[in-house]
Amino acid sequence: MKSRFACGLIVLALLSTGLTGCWDSRSIDELAVVMATALDYTEEGNIMASSQIAVPTSVQTEGGSPQSGAGAKGFTVVSAVGKNVHDAMDELQRKLSRKLFIEHRKVLLIGEELAKQGLKDTLDHFSRDPDSRLQTYLLIAKNARAVELLLQAVPFEKVPTRAVRSLQEINAEITTTLREMFTAMSGEEIVPTVGALELVEGTAGAGVSTGKDESSRMMTFRLAGSAVIKDYKLAGYLDMEQTRGLLWVLNENKRVSITGNVPGKGNVVMELDKTGKKIKTHIRDGKVQVDISVTTSGPVHENNTDLDLSDPNNIVQIEEALSNSIKGSILKVSEVSQNQLKADIFGVGREIYRHNPGQWKRLKDRWADTYPEAEISVSSSVTITRTGMYGKPLHLIEEKE
């Protein structure tokens, strides 16, 4: 009996060895790791898919010395055209000796022309593809084809699209994932916005220079505000200032500073510590009224006035100037959303639905016409928490001494 039991254990142990490991595992040298995908609309009405693929270090230094071309850059870009996204990706795979691996993809770039044509079919593909990560960032290539952005280099990164997420987070800009896009598109209570990128000369602004003559200027990309997607199509753009106003209403203005102009005195900069917002809606005589209130607090980061910040009366002036700056940026983007885009990017409809679903049921079918006529009022409250080591500006202290 014991011998039979022992034999059974041996058989089970032998059988279990075949169950270990990943049945569908692949070695890294068999994979083409996709870091970003770009989709563009062709003149023939087809879809061009481009993938930015990381080049392994072993390939970059093949033969014991650094390679030139794609390997030296740390990435390569491969493109293919198809009738739809799936067809284009299949064609792209036929050009590669390695299996496309998209589970590590961080960014999905959409060319401006494709965004204008409509994204319903494109987004449908990604909503059904089991390999697509819902945390992938979605962005629009402003005034450009998406593939052009994939080809550009950026400082500090061998694979440029790794910088996209950091750019958005460090600069506290609009960040929209595929999951958030699908959620917004499934309802009618808010018109979604996504980040926008644009091409710039490397020697201009925050770009990168080759350090050579004028003819050697290189291109790179930078944040360009946000894109408004209405009815699955690109409705227009918000510039950086307008995007900042939108972020106040969405309560997503994190790790940024604001500048307030004190009439006849100069300006003051405050770093944000805490922010909050409230949206209240009222419907009177069929007219929608919206009250937006924003609160924020933080320390003074720079004082370019002659005001002594140890004087409470001067603090009141500065808080008022900062409040007016916030209020002005919100009113500007409000005007654009109502008069130009006619798109509820604030989520006013969502607030009505949350607090008065019965009223929303009566409004939703004509919300596209109702929102532009809504009366929007804005209030802002700023509290300065710290003024730094000196109350008076340094130049006044020196003059007194």
Side-chain angles (χ1 to χ4, degrees):
M1 186 68 180
K2 290 183 177 180
S3 61
R4 286 185 178 180
F5 181 73
C7 289
L9 288 177
I10 293 173
V11 172
L12 287 174
L14 291 173
L15 290 174
S16 64
T17 59
L19 300 177
T20 59
C22 300
W23 65 272
D24 63 344
S25 65
R26 287 177 178 268
S27 174
I28 188 66
D29 60 5
E30 297 176 346
L31 300 175
V33 181
V34 177
M35 304 304 295
T37 296
L39 299 175
D40 289 295
Y41 189 78
T42 69
E43 294 180 357
E44 296 75 22
N46 294 320
I47 299 295
M48 183 175 76
S50 306
S51 287
Q52 188 179 83
I53 300 171
V55 177
T57 305
S58 59
V59 176
Q60 296 178 43
T61 57
E62 201 170 71
S65 59
Q67 304 295 305
S68 60
K73 292 189 295 185
F75 71 94
T76 187
V77 176
V78 183
S79 302
V81 176
K83 297 178 181 178
N84 49 54
V85 177
H86 187 85
D87 188 30
M89 293 301 292
D90 280 350
E91 289 295 327
L92 196 153
Q93 178 63 76
R94 293 188 181 96
K95 295 183 176 182
L96 299 171
S97 60
R98 298 187 179 192
K99 173 71 175 176
L100 283 170
F101 185 77
I102 64 174
E103 281 84 343
H104 285 181
R105 181 171 55 199
K106 306 292 186 183
V107 176
L108 175 61
L109 281 170
I110 305 294
E112 183 176 85
E113 187 58 35
L114 177 58
K116 289 180 178 179
Q117 294 294 325
L119 298 177
K120 182 176 290 187
D121 294 339
T122 300
L123 292 176
D124 182 80
H125 166 83
F126 291 100
S127 69
R128 300 176 190 278
D129 184 1
D131 293 329
S132 291
R133 297 180 56 188
L134 294 180
Q135 292 304 311
T136 300
Y137 282 87
L138 179 65
L139 297 103
I140 302 297
K142 184 177 180 180
N143 300 323
R145 295 189 305 154
V147 65
E148 295 176 52
L149 297 176
L150 287 194
L151 293 168
Q152 307 308 319
V154 296
F156 311 120
E157 300 289 351
K158 282 193 172 183
V159 181
T161 47
R162 286 179 178 173
V164 173
R165 181 174 179 176
S166 296
L167 276 171
Q168 291 184 306
E169 291 182 347
I170 292 173
N171 294 279
E173 296 300 326
I174 289 287
T175 56
T176 305
T177 63
L178 283 175
R179 183 192 300 277
E180 292 166 337
M181 191 66 173
F182 295 150
T183 301
M185 288 298 191
S186 64
E188 302 173 354
E189 301 89 9
I190 188 171
V191 174
T193 53
V194 302
L197 292 176
E198 66 180 352
L199 286 170
V200 292
E201 285 187 351
T203 53
V208 183
S209 172
T210 57
K212 300 178 182 178
D213 55 35
E214 291 292 311
S215 62
S216 65
R217 286 182 176 181
M218 58 185 289
M219 301 295 290
T220 186
F221 58 77
R222 69 180 178 189
L223 297 175
S226 52
V228 178
I229 309 298
K230 181 181 179 182
D231 297 327
Y232 292 95
K233 294 183 178 181
L234 175 64
Y237 295 100
L238 302 176
D239 61 26
M240 299 297 285
E241 182 181 0
Q242 294 163 353
T243 298
R244 185 61 55 83
L246 172 62
L247 288 170
W248 283 117
V249 180
L250 299 179
N251 198 28
E252 294 180 6
N253 250 338
K254 313 294 183 184
R255 301 181 300 279
V256 296
S257 61
I258 54 174
T259 300
N261 293 311
V262 183
K265 302 291 185 180
N267 60 70
V268 175
V269 181
M270 186 187 83
E271 292 286 334
L272 299 186
D273 273 348
K274 297 179 181 179
T275 62
K277 63 93 178 182
K278 289 183 180 179
I279 299 179
K280 293 184 178 180
T281 59
H282 312 277
I283 301 174
R284 296 186 176 92
D285 301 324
K287 191 80 170 180
V288 177
Q289 297 178 342
V290 185
D291 299 324
I292 300 173
S293 61
V294 173
T295 58
T296 186
S297 63
V300 172
H301 193 72
E302 188 173 335
N303 180 18
N304 297 315
T305 71
D306 292 336
L307 297 176
D308 181 355
L309 300 189
S310 63
D311 186 341
N313 293 324
N314 291 337
I315 292 294
V316 172
Q317 288 188 59
I318 291 173
E319 288 177 339
E320 183 180 357
L322 293 167
S323 294
N324 289 336
S325 176
I326 295 172
K327 181 179 177 180
S329 64
I330 296 175
L331 288 174
K332 285 180 181 179
V333 71
S334 171
E335 181 180 356
V336 172
S337 72
Q338 288 187 288
N339 299 332
Q340 298 180 25
L341 302 174
K342 301 186 183 302
D344 179 13
I345 56 178
F346 291 158
V348 174
R350 182 170 57 190
E351 293 299 318
I352 297 175
Y353 172 74
R354 285 175 177 174
H355 301 288
N356 197 337
Q359 189 67 57
W360 172 249
K361 187 176 182 180
R362 291 187 288 272
L363 285 172
K364 68 176 184 178
D365 290 337
R366 50 189 176 88
W367 186 240
D369 298 321
T370 302
Y371 173 73
E373 302 299 324
E375 296 178 358
I376 297 179
S377 62
V378 179
S379 62
S380 173
S381 175
V382 172
T383 301
I384 292 176
T385 56
R386 299 186 303 278
T387 59
M389 294 179 62
Y390 300 98
K392 295 181 179 179
L394 290 178
H395 66 273
L396 291 185
I397 296 176
E398 292 174 357
E399 289 175 1
K400 185 176 181 181
E401 292 176 351

